[in-house]
């Protein structure tokens, strides 16, 4: 019953956030000849902001379900929810959700830029073997890069939920004092072993479905319902594929919550689970994990699409405001100013660019 109420709350918050973003654009965006709002490319900084904000908001909304998953996967001897109290479901929510900003920023930015770079080499492909290979390679890079900021966030979150530490500040100070910087990367190996196939599966599935949908609808972005549906479906598949590694990772990170002999490694943890609890123990926490990850990634993909679209429309609007159409119908960018003394035609628009020092204007 508690799980059902939490899921309903998460989805309700997600819907409210989505509707709020839809109304936040204010004035109507510039419209292209096809009747659809124009969208301009985002800068790297804007991509970081869109991905980071999407992850932070999504994690804050779905945090209680992740707390339930963590508690259900801890080792014997650790306190259960009835002992920890309902406050454990939101313990460290604000801090770790803010900590999730760089995680989402890195994931989406690295994925998008690596995909763009590889596509320029092998050619653009939204499907088939080539498109899938590009998506897998891009998602692998995104996963490995995001682990640098994702593992510390995961360590702090899980230790706060299991009440190993009373608050965020104490957790940071104690880990630094007792374990040093490497303490924030406890469980690095099982986390990477889980995150790599998970992120690859999730991003690849979503990217493939998105490509097929955009080709079918001849659109430049997905609508809200489709983004949420594709994101939740991709996350669910990734969840099932990586469940055993998630249990091992949680056990390694929350050993201090149990009075049993600590595991010496991820392999030792896996062997001990099989010997003492059986193979079915690897399914521990699957229902709350699926109920957490599916809305989390559905929300993350949905909000990233919304933020990216909103920023792209504003970029297009600003660019359109600076363009000038001459009597001959030639569209030009801003007039040459200081250090800008040459015209260059790019994608149908003539822009001004600077001339390097020492080079003649007509060179």
């Amino acid at each position: 019953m508690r799980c059902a109420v939490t899921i309903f709350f998460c989805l309700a918050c997600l819907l409210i956030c989505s509707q709020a973003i839809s109304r936040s654009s204010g004035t109507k965006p510039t419209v292209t000849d096809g009747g659809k709002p124009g969208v301009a490319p985002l800068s790297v900084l804007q991509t970081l902001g869109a991905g980071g904000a999407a992850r932070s908001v999504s994690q804050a909304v779905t945090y209680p379900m992740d707390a339930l998953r963590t508690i259900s996967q801890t080792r014997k001897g650790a306190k259960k929810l009835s002992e920890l109290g309902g406050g454990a479901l939101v313990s460290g929510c604000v801090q770790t959700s803010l900590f999730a900003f760089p995680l989402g920023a890195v994931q989406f930015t690295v994925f998008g830029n690596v995909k763009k770079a590889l596509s320029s080499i092998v050619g653009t492909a939204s499907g088939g073997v080539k498109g899938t290979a590009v998506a897998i390679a891009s998602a692998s890079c995104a996963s490995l890069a995001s682990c640098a900021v994702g593992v510390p966030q995961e360590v702090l979150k899980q230790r706060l939920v299991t009440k190993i530490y009373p608050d965020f500040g104490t957790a940071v100070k104690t880990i630094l004092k007792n374990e040093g910087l490497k303490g924030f990367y406890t469980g690095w190996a099982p986390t990477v072993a889980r995150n790599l196939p998970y992120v690859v599966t999730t991003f690849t599935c979503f990217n493939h479905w998105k490509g097929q949908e955009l080709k079918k609808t001849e659109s430049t972005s997905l609508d809200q319902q489709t983004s949420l549906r594709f994101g939740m479906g991709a996350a669910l598949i990734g969840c099932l594929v990586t469940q055993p590694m998630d249990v091992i990772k949680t056990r390694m990170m929350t050993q201090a919550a149990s009075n049993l002999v600590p595991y010496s490694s991820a392999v030792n943890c896996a062997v001990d689970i099989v010997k003492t609890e059986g193979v079915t123990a690897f399914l521990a926490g699957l229902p709350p994990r699926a109920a957490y990850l599916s809305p989390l990634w559905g929300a993350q993909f949905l909000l990233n699409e919304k933020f990216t679209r909103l920023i792209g429309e504003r970029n297009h609007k600003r660019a359109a405001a600076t363009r000038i159409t001459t009597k001959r119908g030639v569209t030009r960018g801003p007039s040459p100013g200081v250090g800008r003394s040459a015209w260059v035609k790019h994608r149908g628009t003539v822009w001004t660019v600077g001339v390097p020092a020492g080079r003649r204007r007509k060179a």
Side-chain angles (χ1 to χ4, degrees), residues 81-99:
L81 182 59
S82 57
E83 301 172 274
L84 294 171
L89 296 179
V90 292
S91 179
C93 176
V94 175
Q95 296 91 337
T96 53
S97 294
L98 291 174
F99 212 147

Side-chain angles (χ1 to χ4, degrees), residues 298-340:
Q300 191 171 332
F301 280 117
L302 183 153
L303 293 177
N304 184 67
E305 288 284 321
K306 296 289 290 185
F307 289 141
T308 300
R309 178 80 190 186
L310 180 60
I311 296 171
E313 288 175 356
R314 289 182 176 177
N315 286 350
H316 182 271
K317 187 176 180 180
R318 290 195 187 99
T322 61
R323 293 176 184 173
I324 302 172
T325 302
T326 65
K327 293 180 179 180
R328 295 183 179 181
V330 177
T331 303
R332 287 182 173 178
S335 298
V338 179
R340 303 178 67 84

Side-chain angles (χ1 to χ4, degrees), residues 138-283:
S138 303
S140 298
C141 293
S143 175
L144 294 173
S146 64
C147 278
V149 292
V151 175
Q153 180 237 1
E154 193 76 4
V155 170
L156 289 167
K157 177 182 64 178
Q158 296 197 344
R159 293 188 182 184
L160 286 169
V161 167
T162 53
K163 297 296 184 181
I164 294 176
Y165 305 116
D167 55 67
F168 187 83
T170 302
V172 174
K173 292 177 183 178
T174 306
I175 294 174
L176 278 175
K177 181 181 179 181
N178 298 338
E179 305 173 58
L181 190 61
K182 67 178 183 179
F184 291 104
Y185 291 90
T186 301
W188 166 269
T191 302
V192 173
R194 179 206 65 172
N195 283 4
L196 186 59
Y198 180 83
V199 173
V200 167
T201 301
T202 305
F203 268 90
T204 302
C205 287
F206 183 86
N207 183 73
H208 176 72
W209 294 337
K210 177 182 177 179
Q212 296 300 312
E213 182 69 15
L214 294 182
K215 185 184 295 184
K216 183 173 67 176
T217 60
E218 297 182 352
S219 302
T220 56
S221 62
L222 300 176
D223 58 53
Q224 292 182 161
Q225 292 80 5
T226 305
S227 294
L228 184 60
R229 177 162 50 88
F230 286 174
M232 293 181 71
L236 187 58
I237 294 174
C239 178
L240 295 173
V241 170
T242 60
Q243 174 62 19
M245 288 310 304
D246 187 62
V247 173
I248 295 173
K249 179 218 53 137
T250 301
R251 293 290 183 91
M252 293 292 292
M253 288 183 174
T254 61
Q255 293 193 78
S258 174
N259 53 11
L260 298 178
V261 178
Y263 301 119
S264 60
S265 64
V267 175
N268 174 248
C269 176
V271 172
D272 184 76
I273 290 174
V274 173
K275 285 183 177 179
T276 60
E277 303 173 58
V279 179
T280 55
F282 288 113
L283 298 177

